[in-house]
Amino acid sequence: FKDILRIDHMWILPNLTKLSLNFNKIEVIEHIEMLTELKELNLSFNLIEKIENLDTLINLETLSLYSNKIKKIENLESLEKLEILSIGKNLINSIQGVDRFRFMNSLRVLNLEGNPIAQNPDFPLSQYVITLLPNLHYYEYTFIKSEMREKAQIRFSRELREIEYLQEKEIQARELQAREESEARRLASSFVDHLDGNQLFDSFWRDDADGRVLMLVGQQAQELAEEYEKDVFELTQEIYKLGLKRFVERDEEIRDFMDNLLDGQKELQSSGQKEIEDFLLYKATIFDEARITLRLLEQNVMHGDDEDSLENIKLSDTMHKLNVNFEDSLNDMWLVLMSQELHLHETIEESTTNFHRKISDMMSKFLEASQSFFVQLRE
């Protein structure tokens, strides 16, 4: 109830987990992409017209957009952890987008009541939603019983089969795209992208007007071009195979380097932890001795003993020795931890230098071999 017109200055709260801006005059969802730790977002009772700019809120579990001016269900698929969604009392007049909730596997509670699509007596929206979303537990805050789901599935069985078919095709397309992108990244990392086919040869002729004129000479020119295409393909395949081979070697070298680095850090952490634990045990022992000695001193003073009495002097000497021993032990632990840290730093520095040298050598050899192939192409 602050009459807030827009969302802004959220960058100062990157670790915010709950944000409530309901009952304001916000028209656009914006400037919240940095709130990646956000778990609950309440923007109900505003003037928002479009669901947008939520892609980065990967930890969001509860989202309320109740009573706004939203006309379309969209841009929610990336919220994989979303469990509760309320977009009731908006202006949504189409079921388009409801099927996209099937990709939100964590969604358990959904509210669409109060929208135009929920007011059509010839289309029971609740049954449609229950049919499409088998993981949903509550719709309009009412628990979905098994008999309700069975009845709904009978009513919308045809629509369900069609959506399942389309979803399966989309999943397959996504998997194919993911594999292609992964392969493209692998080839790019191998420095042989666009060399797994005739792409290089095709690029020779793409903007070569003289080459196209040469093809008009006749059959002999065509045969020469085909022979050259074959030679280019064979050489590019050699480069392609070499690049993949060198990529595997570099990848193994990188993994070994990272594994050794991690092992060294774990070993240092374990050794340092043992030093600290040993010191804490020693500290507990020496503090117990100090408490006993101090208590004896206090008792002697309370009983009227002179502070310079032989017994009190001995107790004071004991306290002094305990203090000196504790400080020496603390200093020794610090020296050990610092020496371990310094040793790790020197080891990492040496390993990094060797790693850089090995990678540079691998790259140089690969470039030299590739250059020899390109020389053959020119010849």
Side-chain angles (χ1 to χ4, degrees):
F1 297 99
K2 300 292 184 180
D3 290 335
I4 296 174
L5 300 178
R6 59 180 303 197
I7 306 172
D8 209 345
H9 301 294
M10 290 293 106
W11 56 269
I12 62 175
L13 301 168
N15 296 317
L16 193 68
T17 58
K18 181 177 180 179
L19 177 61
S20 294
L21 293 172
N22 47 317
F23 292 100
N24 283 289
K25 297 180 180 179
I26 298 169
E27 297 181 357
V28 179
I29 303 174
E30 60 182 346
H31 303 143
I32 60 172
E33 59 275 1
M34 71 293 296
L35 303 180
T36 55
E37 300 300 319
L38 201 64
K39 292 187 176 182
E40 183 175 338
L41 176 61
N42 187 351
L43 295 174
S44 56
F45 298 97
N46 276 284
L47 305 173
I48 297 168
E49 297 183 358
K50 183 178 181 180
I51 303 173
E52 58 185 338
N53 300 322
L54 299 174
D55 294 346
T56 60
L57 308 186
I58 56 176
N59 290 304
L60 197 63
E61 297 175 356
T62 301
L63 173 61
S64 179
L65 296 170
Y66 187 84
S67 189
N68 277 279
K69 296 185 177 182
I70 297 169
K71 300 177 182 178
K72 183 179 179 182
I73 299 172
E74 59 184 339
N75 302 323
L76 290 169
E77 285 181 54
S78 61
L79 306 180
E80 296 181 355
K81 294 185 179 181
L82 193 67
E83 298 178 4
I84 302 173
L85 173 62
S86 176
I87 46 177
K89 202 176 180 182
N90 276 279
L91 304 178
I92 300 171
N93 56 12
S94 170
I95 61 172
Q96 182 180 0
V98 174
D99 59 312
R100 309 309 295 175
F101 292 145
R102 290 174 61 86
F103 290 96
M104 300 166 63
N105 295 324
S106 298
L107 190 63
R108 297 293 180 268
V109 181
L110 176 64
N111 179 28
L112 289 169
E113 63 91 14
N115 284 288
I117 55 169
Q119 298 169 2
N120 184 352
D122 298 325
F123 187 85
L125 180 64
S126 60
Q127 290 188 357
Y128 181 75
V129 171
I130 291 172
T131 301
L132 262 59
L133 308 179
N135 294 326
L136 201 66
H137 293 170
Y138 293 87
Y139 180 69
E140 294 184 3
Y141 305 105
T142 300
F143 180 71
I144 302 171
K145 298 180 180 179
S146 57
E147 54 267 27
M148 295 169 58
R149 195 179 298 277
E150 291 172 1
K151 181 180 178 181
Q153 288 174 346
I154 294 173
R155 170 67 174 79
F156 289 100
S157 59
R158 181 180 60 81
E159 289 84 351
L160 178 61
R161 286 195 300 270
E162 181 179 347
I163 289 174
E164 286 177 338
Y165 171 73
L166 294 175
Q167 181 181 0
E168 182 62 27
K169 288 186 65 177
E170 182 173 348
I171 291 174
Q172 292 175 358
R174 287 185 179 187
E175 291 175 348
L176 177 61
Q177 182 181 359
R179 288 195 297 270
E180 290 176 348
E181 291 175 353
S182 176
E183 180 65 10
R185 288 192 297 270
R186 186 174 75 96
L187 295 180
S189 299
S190 305
F191 307 108
V192 291
D193 42 330
H194 309 303
L195 289 178
D196 54 335
N198 288 314
Q199 299 97 319
L200 181 61
F201 178 80
D202 293 339
S203 68
F204 291 164
W205 297 91
R206 187 175 301 123
D207 299 316
D208 188 357
D210 294 337
R212 287 193 293 271
V213 172
L214 181 62
M215 289 297 98
L216 300 176
V217 171
Q219 182 66 26
Q220 187 175 6
Q222 185 67 36
E223 291 176 355
L224 286 173
E226 291 175 356
E227 183 179 351
Y228 184 59
E229 179 181 5
K230 180 181 178 182
D231 293 339
V232 170
F233 178 75
E234 290 176 354
L235 287 172
T236 53
Q237 284 299 295
E238 291 295 326
I239 299 173
Y240 175 73
K241 293 175 183 177
L242 177 65
L244 293 181
K245 181 180 178 181
R246 293 292 181 263
F247 170 75
V248 172
E249 294 173 356
R250 290 196 306 275
D251 192 50
E252 290 178 354
E253 192 68 37
I254 292 171
R255 281 203 305 270
D256 289 343
F257 173 74
M258 296 304 297
D259 289 344
N260 291 334
L261 182 63
L262 185 60
D263 289 342
Q265 291 174 335
K266 287 182 177 179
E267 183 179 352
L268 174 67
Q269 185 179 21
S270 176
S271 177
Q273 187 67 33
K274 186 178 184 305
E275 287 290 335
I276 293 172
E277 289 174 355
D278 291 343
F279 172 76
L280 291 176
L281 288 174
Y282 173 76
K283 173 190 170 184
T285 301
I286 205 168
F287 271 42
D288 287 342
E289 294 180 13
R291 276 192 291 269
I292 294 172
T293 304
L294 184 60
R295 191 178 300 116
L296 291 173
L297 272 171
E298 291 175 347
Q299 289 176 355
N300 289 342
V301 172
M302 289 177 63
H303 291 156
D305 289 356
D306 189 355
E307 292 183 1
D308 295 329
S309 66
L310 182 60
E311 184 178 357
N312 285 346
I313 290 175
K314 289 181 179 180
L315 290 173
S316 297
D317 289 342
T318 301
M319 281 295 296
H320 177 70
K321 289 178 181 178
L322 290 173
N323 184 56
V324 171
N325 291 339
F326 177 76
E327 290 182 354
D328 289 344
S329 179
L330 180 61
N331 187 59
D332 290 343
M333 181 193 67
W334 183 85
L335 290 174
V336 170
L337 293 177
M338 288 301 101
S339 64
Q340 290 177 347
E341 187 72 26
L342 181 61
H343 175 69
L344 177 65
H345 174 75
E346 292 174 347
T347 302
I348 291 176
E349 194 173 59
E350 182 181 356
S351 299
T352 302
T353 301
N354 293 333
F355 171 73
H356 184 269
R357 178 180 53 78
K358 289 180 180 179
I359 294 296
S360 297
D361 289 344
M362 288 181 178
M363 292 301 301
S364 297
K365 291 178 181 178
F366 173 64
L367 289 174
E368 290 174 3
S370 299
Q371 287 171 354
S372 68
F373 286 123
F374 280 106
V375 169
Q376 295 179 52
L377 281 176
R378 285 196 296 270
E379 295 175 352

